[in-house]
Amino acid sequence: MAMCPVSAEVIHQVEESLDEDEKEMMLFLCRDVAENLAPPNVRELLGSLSERGQLSVATLAELLYRVRRFDLLKRVLKTDKAAVEAHLHRNPHLVSDYRVLMMEIGENLDKSDVSSLIFLTRDYTGRGKVTKDKSFLDLVIELEKLNLIASDQLNLLEKCLKNIHRIDLKTKIQKYTQSGQGAGLKYMNSLQASLPNLSVKEPSYNSRFQNGRSKEQRLVENLGIQKKPVKTSIQESGAFLTPHIYEESYRMQSKPLGICLIIDCIGNDTEYLRETFISLDYHVQSFLFPSADDIPQILRRFAHLPQQRDYDSFVCVLVSRGDSQRMMGVDQAHSGFSWDCVKSMFMGDMCPSLIGKPKLFFIQNYEVIGGQSEDSSLEVDGPAIRNWDSKALHPGPSMIHREADFFWSLCTADVSQLEKPSSSSSVYLQNLSQKLQQERKRPLVDLHVELTDKVYTWNSRVSPKEKYYLSLQHTLRKKLILST
């Protein structure tokens, strides 16, 4: 396959669109291929690889895939997640599975975990060698320099994870080790392949995309890795499943699957949403035009509903005026009810009957939108929920995170859309409803990626005031399919 070189302009656009955590991950992922380089930043790294003939559209796409910037795959490289997955099934990888494993472990650790690991390893690294403000990837790099950790030498890390009671991550390493990683698996030293049917067109945008993730807040799916990839869908983590390790899915067998609570303060979407979730075998309860004082009472009532323990999931659809921090209900002069309070009502410590079960929130928020870049119409899908305290764990044998199992899909549109004489339904909710009805047997995260594309297509042909700003942040631990 012919090489497809990457221009300096594309490298610049990618680099300026990444946040600091993503840049750190990309530098870490490329440590093997850039072992003779000392790149101070991502731009220099990618530029140096390009000068050495080691950077193609294919390998840049793999890196963006590994850090889950699917928006940049589409907007900069004019490809998509499915094309990258297909390429990874057929070709050697730029990034070793060991690097991917370390990145995923780091994403699963909060600040207190990392601090404990740094303390436990200081007998090996020396006091003060790795300071407490460093990241897990910084620690891994220091341990690699001391030959204390490598792709085939993970005993020390396993021991330390066991000591901080992160048995889930110790098990992840054991699955990697048992699958024979590093034994004869080829990776690209000279990057010789390019993705099929990819072209780098000159993009006409110059916006920054934020994904709302912080290193200590990310919770990713606990997937195994294998030596030879099987033909199965690759989840957001970018890992592969072993033939003998089955991807775990949420149990979705109760009758009904759960309660679908619809709180619609606008009144344009309840009817078809009700039909959609009834067809998905949910028991739908809808509330039209509640006040800001009524909304928390409704949410609290359903969070404490005894029947929740008998159901396998919970869905909440919220349609309201609001701002970036809260929903207003029908009382525009009211201070409103904050999104953080909505989330907290259904966390593990507040809603024990839903512990371990997926809690899905689909939100259409109408607000006064000002200062948004004309092209920054979508935020990238990412496995995290912004500003959540990731330290507190629900006590008990399973040690499930109090914030785990949330799916938070938030779409913002300009409130001026409601001032038109014939205001219509939400484009976001209409497309969501259609995809849920037609493709219910597909993973919800995959459906949302395609939903993002549909909203982006809509935005490309309307005025700024008619655009929708969509973000997905989730802490799902397993595959979720809304079908019995």
Side-chain angles (χ1 to χ4, degrees):
M1 254 178 227
M3 288 285 290
C4 186
V6 179
S7 69
E9 181 180 355
V10 168
I11 291 174
H12 173 74
Q13 290 169 343
V14 167
E15 190 268 344
E16 78 166 2
S17 297
L18 299 174
D19 65 24
E20 292 306 312
D21 289 340
E22 291 161 343
K23 290 176 182 178
E24 181 189 18
M25 286 191 291
M26 195 170 285
L27 287 169
F28 178 81
L29 291 172
C30 290
R31 281 185 66 81
D32 299 327
V33 75
E35 58 185 348
N36 296 324
L37 301 173
N41 54 53
V42 167
R43 183 187 301 177
E44 294 301 319
L45 166 70
L46 298 179
S48 297
L49 292 177
S50 179
E51 290 173 4
R52 288 171 27 164
Q54 291 183 291
L55 188 70
S56 67
V57 171
T59 51
L60 180 56
E62 180 185 343
L63 289 173
L64 292 176
Y65 177 86
R66 295 301 185 191
V67 299
R68 288 179 289 282
R69 288 306 301 266
F70 307 122
D71 61 323
L72 297 182
L73 288 177
K74 182 177 182 66
R75 299 182 184 103
V76 178
L77 300 187
K78 306 304 179 186
T79 185
D80 57 27
K81 177 171 171 274
V84 179
E85 290 174 353
H87 175 78
L88 291 174
H89 280 308
R90 296 191 302 266
N91 296 278
H93 304 167
L94 169 69
V95 180
S96 71
D97 290 322
Y98 159 71
R99 294 275 165 207
V100 174
L101 174 67
M102 293 299 102
M103 184 187 76
E104 291 180 350
I105 289 175
E107 289 176 320
N108 274 279
L109 298 168
D110 62 23
K111 282 185 175 180
S112 62
D113 289 331
V114 175
S115 177
S116 297
L117 288 174
I118 290 173
F119 178 80
L120 288 170
T121 57
R122 67 179 184 171
D123 286 341
Y124 304 91
T125 61
R127 293 175 181 268
K129 189 70 174 179
V130 182
T131 58
K132 62 181 180 181
D133 61 331
K134 295 297 184 180
S135 69
F136 172 74
L137 296 184
D138 291 326
L139 175 62
V140 171
I141 290 170
E142 190 59 38
L143 292 173
E144 287 176 342
K145 291 177 181 177
L146 297 170
N147 291 321
L148 294 171
I149 188 173
S151 60
D152 58 350
Q153 187 179 347
L154 296 170
N155 292 340
L156 175 60
L157 183 55
E158 279 190 62
K159 177 183 176 182
C160 291
L161 289 171
K162 180 180 179 181
N163 285 337
I164 66 170
H165 309 293
R166 291 306 304 267
I167 305 303
D168 56 326
L169 299 181
K170 178 177 180 290
T171 301
K172 194 178 185 75
I173 293 177
Q174 290 174 336
K175 289 178 180 179
Y176 162 88
T177 304
Q178 291 166 4
S179 66
Q181 292 292 5
L185 183 58
K186 293 194 299 181
Y187 294 91
M188 297 185 198
N189 291 321
S190 178
L191 309 176
Q192 72 274 25
S194 60
L195 287 173
N197 303 318
L198 294 186
S199 62
V200 181
K201 300 178 182 178
E202 299 303 322
S204 60
Y205 71 96
N206 184 27
S207 59
R208 302 178 70 89
F209 299 91
Q210 303 297 325
N211 71 353
R213 292 184 289 164
S214 65
K215 194 171 355 186
E216 66 272 14
Q217 291 169 333
R218 277 175 273 198
L219 297 172
V220 297
E221 296 176 17
N222 188 17
L223 300 176
I225 307 174
Q226 69 165 30
K227 178 179 177 182
K228 294 182 180 179
V230 294
K231 292 186 177 181
T232 184
S233 63
I234 304 172
Q235 297 304 303
E236 306 287 347
S237 63
F240 293 97
L241 299 173
T242 60
H244 59 280
I245 299 174
Y246 298 96
E247 184 176 17
E248 191 176 5
S249 297
Y250 285 101
R251 181 186 186 274
M252 297 293 280
Q253 297 176 2
S254 63
K255 298 289 185 179
L257 286 177
I259 292 171
C260 172
L261 172 62
I262 300 175
I263 299 178
D264 188 350
C265 305
I266 306 301
N268 295 330
D269 302 285
T270 295
E271 186 173 347
Y272 69 84
L273 288 170
R274 170 183 284 275
E275 293 176 0
T276 295
F277 283 100
I278 287 176
S279 74
L280 291 170
D281 201 18
Y282 279 88
H283 177 58
V284 178
Q285 294 283 306
S286 58
F287 294 82
L288 277 171
F289 311 119
S291 69
D293 289 328
D294 291 335
I295 291 171
Q297 296 181 32
I298 296 170
L299 290 168
R300 193 172 294 109
R301 170 186 158 197
F302 281 87
H304 297 158
L305 207 62
Q307 294 96 306
Q308 297 282 20
R309 69 171 64 94
D310 301 322
Y311 302 143
D312 288 338
S313 62
F314 172 73
V315 174
C316 182
V317 183
L318 302 173
V319 188
S320 178
R321 291 176 177 83
D323 59 29
S324 61
Q325 303 297 323
R326 60 186 63 80
M327 59 188 300
M328 304 298 185
V330 294
D331 310 310
Q332 297 185 50
H334 197 281
S335 60
F337 185 65
S338 78
W339 300 121
D340 286 341
C341 288
V342 174
K343 298 168 189 173
S344 66
M345 284 187 177
F346 293 89
M347 289 185 185
D349 51 350
M350 299 297 292
C351 184
S353 59
L354 289 175
I355 287 177
K357 303 174 185 179
K359 297 163 277 285
L360 318 179
F361 291 81
F362 301 100
I363 302 165
Q364 176 63 72
N365 187 35
Y366 294 95
E367 63 178 89
V368 176
I369 299 176
Q372 298 248 23
S373 167
E374 186 170 316
D375 293 295
S376 62
S377 51
L378 296 172
E379 293 188 5
V380 66
D381 296 318
I385 296 184
R386 186 179 304 166
N387 297 330
W388 286 30
D389 175 12
S390 60
K391 294 179 181 179
L393 293 173
H394 176 77
S398 62
M399 294 299 287
I400 294 178
H401 230 281
R402 66 189 290 265
E403 301 158 8
D405 311 302
F406 275 83
F407 186 96
W408 187 265
S409 175
L410 172 62
C411 186
T412 300
D414 198 286
V415 72
S416 63
Q417 295 197 36
L418 301 178
E419 298 167 0
K420 299 175 183 178
S422 56
S423 59
S424 59
S425 299
S426 159
V427 169
Y428 156 67
L429 291 175
Q430 283 181 325
N431 280 284
L432 171 68
S433 177
Q434 183 181 29
K435 294 198 77 65
L436 289 177
Q437 285 188 325
Q438 296 177 355
E439 303 178 66
R440 66 183 65 190
K441 292 190 179 296
R442 296 186 57 212
L444 182 60
V445 172
D446 291 350
L447 290 185
H448 200 281
V449 171
E450 296 176 7
L451 174 64
T452 298
D453 288 340
K454 284 186 171 291
V455 175
Y456 181 74
T457 300
W458 164 271
N459 288 345
S460 67
R461 58 175 184 259
V462 299
S463 67
K465 288 287 188 180
E466 298 173 286
K467 291 186 176 184
Y468 288 77
Y469 301 83
L470 177 60
S471 68
L472 168 63
Q473 301 156 335
H474 74 80
T475 55
L476 297 180
R477 299 172 296 116
K478 309 173 187 178
K479 180 192 290 184
L480 175 59
I481 297 176
L482 299 185
S483 178
T484 55

